[in-house]
Structure formats: structure tokens, C-alpha cells
């Protein structure tokens, strides 16, 4: 870590060199980038009573602006029931050395319909427009894949999207390649017959010739909500898959066991020389560290475990935390994750990656609030159930879920919707009242999280009715979309 901090301490001016491509030369350069002024986030009507297309919202987050904390633009998609989910870029910091590349297209896959929308965010960043639609049949026929999830640009200029299933709704963890100029489907990244049993998120690290991918579950199992019996039936994953970056060969499976069931977001450390990272495992509230071994293969170990709570008035007698999103600050010092059932966000100092240290925590909604139907009978962490959270007169429904950290690490943004099918099951009031976007102030010196009581974007007041807002993305790149080579 010390060598990374010393060796990559580059001048901010180098990030603005005239002959360079998009993004920043290094993660530490990115931390010196300008403050975020707008964010893009998909808003979902799928699984709600509102018969409208999902849309991309542009939100003003500039405190100096007259439209601060407001949705300043909405771009509805041309189809219904897409379930917009996670977005990515046509070019990111992995293309920094290529002056022909621009970060001007936002790639927006649809989890349920399997469409991929390409949005023009370069012509008018505050008013994106639809540029191209890749229809599901392109994914089905050319790749045998469906349910696209995570998008990353590659240094080659191509775009890579992980998938969760095949066209019949079975689990299938493959990867779709798009041409970075035409956005036509090229074909599969993985070798024939080598797709993983399940798919979800991925991250690549070329200096170690590796790509890591994770597993959620079979789309047909999670489409209408979560059934614990589906876990026992084998419809959900519990492994990290290791791929050779050069040959595209699947070379290793890291079985995380029951403690690592449903591994979702995976993050390498941002230092491109790093040979380790973390994955958040939803079902049992654990975080695993993965790492390169002395032999040259890969291993994994559990480094964080959030205890389940013994409860009554809930669907099961034990309530797990359900870790759903995880991210790492650009200086590789702090790790953050959200516990979508318990209702808290946590900050860990990961200076010692094998021994993360809890340094910040804040509760924002969740299923164990003290005026709700759930009574906590036994809690290994809390003395009392958390109070409801009210911001500017609005009670927070749902629970903290998607996270995005400012480049300088001082502001953590959060939304409260996970996936409409699970929102409807676990937080029905969220569909009636809409999700919210909040901001947390971060102590980057000693650690610590504090809610900004003056910041709230209420998606319950949208023109077409309450919406479910999901992942946050900055136009200039952020710590979950940029990969450095």
C-alpha cells in the first residue's frame, strides 16, 4: 500500500494532459478530480402498479445550484418492464492512454427484458438521449445469453457485459462483447462451453492476467421474489469464478460454502498492481477477501461477518443482514457496504486487508426499526432497535442499498431499492412511497459516517408516480466503474 501511495502520487495536471483519453491516469489522480455535479440513476416501474417505462434520471448534486437535490431530466425508455439495473461506460480510465476515446455513451442493460440501451450523455450531459437499442434477440442468438448485469469497458475499446442467465431463465454466467463504436454484438468473451453456472458481477486485473466473476441466481428463481427453498434446490450461487484474462479460459472456481452464499458485488483494490480484493456475500452477511496465493492460483477467506438477529414477526426466525452492495475508496483505505435487511451502512478501515476494522456505521430504514412489526429477541450487536429515519419530513422506506462514493471519498450517496421483485416482497411500502437518495458525510481521517440531514431526493414525488431508484453513476467516472491498467 505504501509503495502504491508513494509511487502513484501524480500531479493533478497530469490528469488533464491534452493527448490522453477519458478518466484519470491513476486512482490517486481521480481523487483530485472535480466534485460531482450531477448523477445518473435508473428508475424502475417494473413490478409496481404503474404501467410506465423505466427511465434514467439525472439528479443535480451541486450545492451551489438552484436545482440542488432535484431530478433535472428524465429519459424514459421506449419499452415496458425492462428492469433497468446497473450501468457502465463505453470508455473509462482503462482507455486513458487512447486520445481517440471519449466517455460519452452510457451502457444501460435491462435485467429482465435483456435489452441493452446505449445512451448519449456526451452531447448534453444534463439531458441524456437514447442513441441505440440492442434488442434481446441479439444476445439470445449471437451469444446464447440473457439477463445482462455489469458493464465494463476494456482497454481495447470493446465493451463487456456479464450475464446471469440463458434465454430460458436458467443460470448461465457468460460475457457479451459489444463493439465500442457501433455497439453491435460481437459475440461471447468466454470460450465455448465454459460459461459459469451462474453470473452477476465481474472485475478484471490485467497485471495479474485475471478476471473474477460472481454469482447471484437463476433468473427464473428470483424473478418473483426470494424463496429460501430455492437456495436448497441449488438455484443460487456461492462461488467466485477465476478466468484467464488473455486466453478467456475458466481456470478456477472458489467455492465459498454456505457462509459465502449469493456473492454479489466484487471489487479488486484500485491499485492496478494489487492482487486482492473483496466480495460481499448477501445471504449470510459475510465479506470474503480473495487473493493471489504464493503458488500463483487464487484463494479466499472470510474477513467480516455480520451476525443474524433472532426475531419474531418476520418471515423467518433469524434475520440476516443481507449485504447487497460493496465498494472501496480510491485510495484503497476504506471499504463500505450496505445491510439491506438490518438497515445500516458500514465503513471499515482495510489498511490491513486481512483484518478489516469497523470505523463507521449509520442506520437508514430497514426491517428492525423500533416501531415496526418485527421484534428483535436476540441481538449480538445492538442494545435496542434503531429509530425510524425521517429526512425533511419524509420517512425513509426500504433500506440502504446501492452506494456510490465521491472521488475524494468524503461523500457517500445511497439509494434504497434493490430489485423490484425483492422490494415488493420485503418492503411493500417502498413501492407505494418510492425510494429516496441520501448523502452521508464521511470522516476520511479517523473514519465515521454521518447523515446529511439537508440532502434528500424523493422519488415518491415523480411525475408518473413513485419510482424505484437504483444505481448511481457520475459522468466523469467513479470508484465502481473505473478500472486502471
Amino acid at each position: 500500500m505504501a509503495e502504491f501511495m508513494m509511487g502513484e502520487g501524480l500531479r493533478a495536471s497530469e490528469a488533464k494532459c491534452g493527448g490522453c483519453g477519458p478518466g484519470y491516469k491513476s486512482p490517486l489522480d481521480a481523487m483530485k478530480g472535480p466534485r460531482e455535479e450531477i448523477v445518473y440513476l435508473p428508475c424502475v416501474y417494473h413490478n409496481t402498479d404503474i404501467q410506465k417505462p423505466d427511465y434514467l434520471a439525472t439528479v443535480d448534486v451541486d450545492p451551489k445550484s438552484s436545482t440542488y437535490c432535484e431530478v433535472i431530466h428524465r429519459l424514459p425508455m421506449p419499452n415496458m418492464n425492462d428492469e433497468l439495473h446497473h450501468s457502465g461506460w463505453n470508455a473509462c480510465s482503462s482507455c486513458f492512454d487512447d486520445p481517440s476515446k471519449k466517455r460519452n455513451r452510457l451502457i444501460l442493460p435491462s435485467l429482465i427484458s435483456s435489452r441493452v440501451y446505449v445512451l448519449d450523455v456526451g452531447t448534453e450531459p444534463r439531458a441524456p438521449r437514447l442513441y441505440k437499442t440492442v434488442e434481446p434477440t441479439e444476445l439470445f442468438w449471437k451469444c446464447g445469453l440473457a439477463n445482462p448485469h455489469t458493464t465494463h469497458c476494456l482497454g481495447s475499446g470493446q465493451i463487456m457485459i456479464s450475464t446471469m442467465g440463458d434465454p430460458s431463465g436458467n443460470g448461465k454466467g457468460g460475457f457479451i462483447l459489444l463493439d465500442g463504436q457501433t455497439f453491435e454484438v460481437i459475440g461471447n468473451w468466454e470460450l465455448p462451453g465454459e460459461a459459469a453456472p451462474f453470473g452477476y458481477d465481474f472485475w478484471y486485473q490485467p497485471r495479474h492476467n485475471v478476471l473474477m466473476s460472481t454469482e447471484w441466481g437463476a433468473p427464473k428463481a428470483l424473478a418473483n421474489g426470494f424463496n429460501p427453498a430455492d437456495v436448497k434446490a441449488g438455484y443460487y450461487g456461492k462461488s467466485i469464478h477465476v478466468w484467464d484474462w488473455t486466453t478467456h479460459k475458466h481456470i478456477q472456481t472458489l467455492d465459498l460454502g454456505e457462509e459465502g452464499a449469493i456473492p454479489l458485488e466484487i471489487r479488486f483494490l484500485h491499485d492496478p498492481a494489487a492482487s486482492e480484493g473483496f466480495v460481499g456475500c448477501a445471504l449470510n452477511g459475510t465479506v470474503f477477501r480473495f487473493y493471489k496465493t504464493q503458488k500463483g492460483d487464487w484463494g479466499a477467506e472470510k474477513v467480516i461477518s455480520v451476525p443474524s438477529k433472532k426475531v419474531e414477526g418476520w418471515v423467518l426466525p433469524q434475520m440476516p443482514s443481507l449485504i447487497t452492495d460493496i465498494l472501496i475508496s480510491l485510495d484503497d483505505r476504506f471499504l463500505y457496504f450496505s445491510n439491506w435487511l438490518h438497515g445500516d451502512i458500514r465503513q471499515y478501515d482495510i489498511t490491513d486487508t486481512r483484518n478489516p476494522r469497523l470505523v463507521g456505521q449509520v442506520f437508514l430504514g430497514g426491517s428492525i426499526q423500533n416501531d415496526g412489526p418485527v421484534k428483535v429477541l436476540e441481538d449480538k450487536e445492538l442494545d435496542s432497535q434503531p429509530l425510524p429515519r425521517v429526512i425533511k419530513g419524509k420517512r425513509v422506506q426500504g433500506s440502504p442499498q446501492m452506494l456510490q462514493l465521491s472521488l475524494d471519498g468524503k461523500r457517500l450517496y445511497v439509494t434504497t431499492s434493490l430489485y423490484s421483485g425483492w422490494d415488493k416482497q420485503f418492503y411493500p411500502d417502498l413501492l407505494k412511497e418510492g425510494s429516496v437518495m441520501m448523502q452521508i458525510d464521511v470522516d476520511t481521517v479517523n473514519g465515521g459516517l454521518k447523515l446529511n440531514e439537508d440532502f434528500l431526493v424523493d422519488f415518491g414525488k415523480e411525475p408518473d408516480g413513485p419510482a424505484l431508484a437504483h444505481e448511481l453513476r457520475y459522468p466523469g467516472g467513479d470508484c465502481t466503474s473505473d478500472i486502471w491498467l
Side-chain angles (χ1 to χ4, degrees):
M1 178 70 73
E3 292 180 40
F4 169 48
M5 297 292 288
M6 294 292 290
E8 297 291 331
L10 300 162
R11 295 185 300 275
S13 60
E14 290 180 348
K16 300 174 183 176
C17 56
C20 297
Y24 301 89
K25 189 172 184 178
S26 76
L28 296 184
D29 261 349
M31 293 190 76
K32 301 169 187 174
R35 178 177 172 137
E36 65 283 357
E37 295 181 354
I38 57 174
V39 299
Y40 303 127
L41 64 168
C43 293
V44 174
Y45 282 131
H46 179 235
N47 265 320
T48 73
D49 293 332
I50 298 170
Q51 298 301 306
K52 294 282 186 177
D54 298 346
Y55 61 97
L56 184 79
T58 305
V59 175
D60 188 331
V61 294
D62 181 1
K64 301 174 184 175
S65 171
S66 61
T67 53
Y68 180 55
C69 284
E70 293 181 16
V71 178
I72 58 174
H73 186 265
R74 298 169 184 87
L75 176 65
M77 297 302 113
N79 301 284
M80 300 281 288
N81 298 318
D82 280 318
E83 187 86 31
L84 302 179
H85 200 60
H86 288 202
S87 62
W89 295 106
N90 65 314
C92 68
S93 289
S94 63
C95 301
F96 180 78
D97 288 333
D98 187 345
S100 72
K101 298 288 187 284
K102 292 183 179 179
R103 196 195 309 250
N104 60 354
R105 303 286 184 261
L106 185 69
I107 316 301
L108 186 52
S110 305
L111 193 62
I112 297 301
S113 73
S114 295
R115 284 186 188 87
V116 178
Y117 295 107
V118 180
L119 309 182
D120 175 1
V121 296
T123 304
E124 292 183 65
R126 299 172 74 89
R129 60 187 71 171
L130 181 63
Y131 182 78
K132 181 183 176 71
T133 301
V134 181
E135 293 295 342
T137 49
E138 291 288 296
L139 279 58
F140 299 167
W141 295 345
K142 291 183 179 180
C143 302
L145 296 172
N147 310 101
H149 187 269
T150 298
T151 303
H152 281 301
C153 83
L154 309 184
S156 65
Q158 294 178 331
I159 297 158
M160 186 166 168
I161 307 175
S162 61
T163 67
M164 291 178 54
D166 67 12
S168 299
N170 303 302
K172 190 175 183 182
F175 304 92
I176 295 159
L177 286 176
L178 300 184
D179 183 279
Q181 299 295 322
T182 66
F183 305 101
E184 294 292 325
V185 176
I186 298 171
N188 300 65
W189 179 85
E190 78 279 6
L191 299 178
E194 292 208 353
F198 302 101
Y200 184 70
D201 194 25
F202 76 100
W203 199 280
Y204 62 87
Q205 202 81 323
R207 294 194 193 182
H208 295 281
N209 193 38
V210 70
L211 178 147
M212 299 284 208
S213 67
T214 59
E215 302 182 326
W216 186 1
K220 64 183 180 183
L222 57 89
N224 297 311
F226 177 71
N227 184 347
D230 287 337
V231 178
K232 295 182 180 179
Y235 289 121
Y236 285 90
K238 55 185 177 70
S239 298
I240 299 173
H241 295 279
V242 185
W243 308 76
D244 184 294
W245 181 241
T246 303
T247 67
H248 306 185
K249 184 176 178 59
H250 184 281
I251 56 175
Q252 194 178 353
T253 298
L254 302 176
D255 187 339
L256 303 181
E258 295 306 316
E259 285 190 313
I262 312 184
L264 296 180
E265 311 296 340
I266 189 164
R267 316 290 188 204
F268 263 97
L269 296 183
H270 294 287
D271 174 2
S275 58
E276 61 181 328
F278 298 90
V279 60
C281 303
L283 191 58
N284 289 298
T286 57
V287 175
F288 277 71
R289 168 184 170 263
F290 60 88
Y291 57 92
K292 195 172 188 177
T293 71
Q294 290 184 338
K295 292 192 306 180
D297 62 356
W298 295 82
E301 61 180 352
K302 184 182 70 172
V303 292
I304 299 173
S305 182
V306 179
S308 295
K309 302 180 189 296
K310 186 178 179 181
V311 296
E312 65 179 17
W314 198 62
V315 63
L316 296 171
Q318 295 282 335
M319 182 189 291
S321 69
L322 209 80
I323 295 174
T324 50
D325 195 19
I326 183 171
L327 60 78
I328 298 171
S329 61
L330 286 168
D331 58 5
D332 291 337
R333 184 179 168 201
F334 294 114
L335 177 146
Y336 301 84
F337 64 76
S338 51
N339 290 316
W340 192 64
L341 288 178
H342 292 174
D344 60 315
I345 296 172
R346 300 189 182 205
Q347 176 193 26
Y348 286 80
D349 186 319
I350 54 169
T351 306
D352 178 354
T353 55
R354 299 195 68 181
N355 295 285
R357 184 168 55 90
L358 181 64
V359 292
Q361 184 178 26
V362 60
F363 278 85
L364 303 166
S367 297
I368 58 167
Q369 297 170 86
N370 68 357
D371 65 346
V374 176
K375 182 179 180 182
V376 178
L377 303 177
E378 184 180 312
D379 195 323
K380 296 179 181 178
E381 295 185 319
L382 303 177
D383 295 327
S384 59
Q385 294 180 228
L387 297 171
R389 183 66 77 168
V390 179
I391 309 172
K392 292 188 170 183
K394 166 83 171 184
R395 177 171 176 149
V396 175
Q397 300 293 341
S399 185
Q401 209 286 102
M402 290 309 298
L403 307 174
Q404 191 55 264
L405 189 66
S406 62
L407 295 178
D408 61 11
K410 295 180 180 180
R411 292 167 301 285
L412 185 67
Y413 295 92
V414 55
T415 56
T416 50
S417 167
L418 169 60
Y419 155 64
S420 65
W422 287 19
D423 293 347
K424 188 174 184 178
Q425 179 180 2
F426 291 102
Y427 294 111
D429 287 344
L430 186 62
L431 277 68
K432 300 173 187 174
E433 299 190 31
S435 61
V436 296
M437 176 179 166
M438 299 170 281
Q439 184 208 298
I440 297 163
D441 294 324
V442 180
D443 183 337
T444 58
V445 177
N446 303 307
L449 302 175
K450 183 181 179 182
L451 178 70
N452 180 349
E453 301 280 356
D454 296 322
F455 185 103
L456 180 76
V457 184
D458 182 2
F459 289 92
K461 296 179 179 178
E462 286 296 272
D464 287 328
L468 302 172
H470 194 61
E471 189 202 38
L472 304 124
R473 190 66 74 211
Y474 305 141
D478 45 57
C479 68
T480 58
S481 65
D482 273 323
I483 292 177
W484 280 266
L485 303 179

